[in-house]
Amino acid sequence: LFALLLFPHDGTMCLISEREADALLQLAWNSSSCSASNSRSSRSSSNGAAAQGPLLLQLSYARLAYYDEEGGTQLLVTRLGAGGTVQRLHGTSLSKFLVDLQLFNGDTMCGNGSSSRSKEQQRLLRGLVAHKRSAAEDLVGMRGKLPAWPRSHLEMACGDS
């Protein structure tokens, strides 16, 4: 999994592949170039509807921005309903969903291990997978990431041998 669509009005998320993300971006940019030829008045009347469009965000950048406690990494997203405009994500936190997303993606590590956010994510991970080693290992295997399993945060979070 490469990216997710976030629907801000209700917080719904849809995980998508790199190919799907590329196709959505192409559609957004094509619609943006078509609307550029329209008059200014027709664009201003459609801005309200465009602002309601979903946000496309890459999971790797979401993780990077979340674990950067210094605040130097900005989380940029593409608003698909606005013709593919890029904006900084304000007021929406993925922190409570990040562990779920990473686990579903077969990721075995949570952050760098030393920051407070990494430790919080590892605590949440333990809550999800404690004594569920077989299921967690199967999920990692299905994603083709089994070589990353040994001595990973996920393996330690399972707590059983």
Side-chain angles (χ1 to χ4, degrees), residues 57-125:
L57 108 109
Q58 293 182 349
L59 293 175
S60 59
Y61 293 126
R63 284 191 300 266
L64 181 64
Y66 178 76
Y67 291 120
D68 178 16
E69 292 186 342
E70 307 280 321
T73 306
Q74 294 185 9
L75 182 54
L76 300 177
V77 297
T78 304
R79 183 170 293 280
L80 296 177
T85 58
V86 176
Q87 65 186 56
R88 184 165 186 248
L89 189 59
H90 292 286
T92 305
S93 173
L94 292 176
S95 63
K96 64 181 181 177
F97 302 109
L98 195 56
V99 169
D100 296 340
L101 293 172
Q102 287 184 262
L103 180 61
F104 187 75
N105 198 33
D107 295 344
T108 59
M109 302 300 281
C110 289
N112 61 12
S114 62
S115 72
S116 63
R117 287 185 178 171
S118 294
K119 290 178 182 181
E120 173 65 16
Q121 294 295 310
Q122 290 170 28
R123 185 188 63 73
L124 292 170
L125 181 63

Side-chain angles (χ1 to χ4, degrees), residues 20-43:
E20 292 165 326
D22 288 346
L24 287 170
L25 284 173
Q26 183 178 9
L27 288 171
W29 292 334
N30 286 344
S31 78
S32 145
S33 65
C34 290
S35 68
S37 63
N38 293 340
S39 71
R40 185 174 185 92
S41 63
S42 67
R43 272 189 274 138

